[in-house]
Amino acid sequence: MELQQAEKKLKENGFLDVSVSDKIDYAAEIKKLKKEKNAIILAHYYQEPAIQDIADFVGDSLQLSYKAAEADADLIVFAGVHFMAETAKILNPDKKVVLPDLNAGCSLSEACEAKDLQAFKDKHPDHIVVTYVNTSADVKAISDICCTSSNAKKIIDSVPLDQPIIFAPDKNLGAYINKVTGRNMLLWEGACIVHEAFSIDKLLHTHQAHPNAKIIAHPESEAHILKTAAYIGSTSGLINYAKTDPAKEFIVATEAGILHEMQKEVPNKTLYPAPAHEDNTCACSECPYMKMNNMKKLFLCMKYELPEIHVSEAIQKKALIPIQRMLDISSQ
Ligand code: 13P
Ligand code: SF4
């Protein structure tokens, strides 16, 4: 009875506040549904450990885009945030794409609306627009090229030096790319709340306590955090560095979900999450959007194939152009 009521509620309110019996073995049910529905689960490194463990593929945003583009499953289940699932739909529009929680957004995507970007473009008609993939389909549809943190330098280096660029929406990634490429791109005022939460004082304190640990950081972090880092890279770049660098201890300045996969890759090394300004339960920085997904919602989303991601054909066609350009340049 409770289950039936929950299902009704679930359908009515788009999966908010569902209370399905906790006696369900979600992992077992999800595995069954994967087979029954010929589904593929793609998960980002920031997802909770149980979701990463049950996914068919775990990766950074670029790797997930490639996987989504080539997926031949009937159902693509995106365990990540909205812009990632939307990118999967744009790349593979004939597939059904579902996201466990439709409210799983992103502070970067929210900071850049298409109408505002269009107004900015109109003020700078000689500039091309490079957008980070952390944007809506509408924003991608008015962009020239997309990038992720793992290919941003390569994408910008592919643009002729005399071509002025608007870079949106991450001012921190943009400033870092300006620094490493010697460009002077116009930067949008957006930021990732998770990477802006790191405290430089607490980070230096952690480093003092573990002087042999190397600080490694995601480029969405602020410049004063990046200055302290021995290595700066995307989530997959950070995991790879921890694997290949001889150091035995690392302080990791990105969303704490990455530690699950990183620790699996380096079982004999010690990892410390970089501390955030606010004292919170994990003493680290977690993405509230990524953490909206959980096993229960993943199960429900596969069972009902809801909430589904929809992108109009007109926007899909336009948004595909900058994403495809990115994938082509990236694979060269
Ligand atoms: P990457 O996985 O591309 O490093 O991106 C990190 C991120 O913040 C995704 O939202
Ligand atoms: Fe957006 Fe930051 Fe969360 Fe990634 S970690 S989804 S960039 S808010």
Side-chain angles (χ1 to χ4, degrees):
M1 194 57 206
E2 188 203 345
L3 191 59
Q4 279 169 357
Q5 279 168 353
E7 287 173 357
K8 190 166 167 274
K9 196 169 171 188
L10 166 73
K11 281 186 180 160
E12 280 167 1
N13 68 17
F15 282 38
L16 299 178
D17 188 28
V18 274
S19 58
V20 173
S21 165
D22 277 320
K23 291 195 187 94
I24 294 176
D25 178 349
Y26 292 116
E29 293 301 319
I30 288 167
K31 276 184 196 152
K32 267 195 235 159
L33 287 168
K34 242 186 347 184
K35 261 198 186 155
E36 259 170 56
K37 302 201 175 213
N38 186 27
I40 184 171
I41 303 176
L42 304 178
H44 190 267
Y45 291 123
Y46 298 164
Q47 291 294 286
E48 65 173 41
I51 293 182
Q52 293 191 41
D53 288 345
I54 206 149
D56 295 285
F57 180 79
V58 186
D60 71 9
S61 41
L62 181 64
Q63 294 166 328
L64 290 167
S65 298
Y66 279 115
K67 283 283 169 196
E70 71 195 25
D72 64 0
D74 294 318
L75 182 66
I76 300 176
V77 184
F78 214 110
V81 291
H82 191 272
F83 76 81
M84 296 180 169
E86 206 174 45
T87 304
K89 183 70 183 174
I90 293 164
L91 282 162
N92 211 336
D94 297 333
K95 302 289 178 192
K96 190 180 243 189
V97 179
V98 290
L99 177 71
D101 192 321
L102 212 48
N103 290 320
C106 168
S107 66
L108 280 167
S109 182
E110 283 162 18
C112 185
E113 283 191 31
K115 63 172 178 22
D116 300 329
L117 182 61
Q118 186 58 55
F120 197 62
K121 272 178 68 163
D122 293 344
K123 275 195 196 150
H124 305 281
D126 55 333
H127 285 57
I128 64 158
V129 177
V130 178
T131 48
Y132 197 28
V133 285
N134 301 38
T135 48
S136 67
D138 289 350
V139 163
K140 290 185 176 84
I142 57 166
S143 302
D144 295 289
I145 319 180
C146 287
C147 72
T148 74
S149 55
S150 61
N151 62 19
K153 182 176 181 304
K154 193 172 184 181
I155 299 293
I156 298 305
D157 281 341
S158 77
V159 178
L161 275 173
D162 57 356
Q163 172 61 60
I165 300 172
I166 292 169
F167 187 86
D170 190 348
K171 64 176 178 183
N172 293 318
L173 175 65
Y176 170 68
I177 297 298
N178 268 345
K179 194 172 162 210
V180 294
T181 61
R183 299 265 185 160
N184 189 20
M185 301 186 294
L186 274 182
L187 306 182
W188 192 263
E189 266 295 315
C192 164
I193 50 167
V194 177
H195 290 87
E196 285 215 327
F198 294 123
S199 153
I200 186 68
D201 293 343
K202 288 187 179 178
L203 177 64
L204 295 176
H205 189 78
T206 306
H207 197 224
Q208 262 172 13
H210 308 285
N212 295 324
K214 277 192 173 172
I215 299 174
I216 57 177
H218 195 282
E220 286 173 16
S221 310
E222 291 173 281
H224 57 259
I225 299 287
L226 297 180
K227 239 185 223 167
T228 68
Y231 173 78
I232 296 165
S234 69
T235 48
S236 58
L238 295 173
I239 291 174
N240 201 38
Y241 188 81
K243 243 165 92 174
T244 50
D245 189 82
K248 292 274 179 263
E249 291 173 76
F250 297 92
I251 301 169
V252 185
T254 193
E255 209 272 355
I258 197 176
L259 297 175
H260 181 63
E261 179 62 23
M262 197 179 266
Q263 194 69 78
K264 279 191 197 168
E265 293 286 349
V266 292
N268 299 320
K269 297 189 180 184
T270 307
L271 307 173
Y272 309 99
H277 292 287
E278 300 296 325
D279 281 328
N280 45 37
T281 45
C282 74
C284 61
S285 190
E286 286 193 307
C287 176
Y289 304 103
M290 287 277 181
K291 264 46 183 193
M292 281 182 182
N293 297 331
N294 56 38
M295 289 291 273
K296 183 188 280 185
K297 290 184 194 172
L298 182 61
F299 158 70
L300 291 168
C301 143
M302 292 180 73
K303 184 169 166 66
Y304 297 103
E305 303 185 19
L306 280 170
E308 187 181 350
I309 301 293
H310 297 283
V311 180
S312 75
E313 198 184 336
I315 292 292
Q316 184 271 333
K317 285 207 163 87
K318 285 186 195 160
L320 181 60
I321 298 167
I323 302 174
Q324 196 57 54
R325 275 192 192 127
M326 166 185 84
L327 296 182
D328 294 345
I329 296 168
S330 229
S331 55
Q332 277 163 21

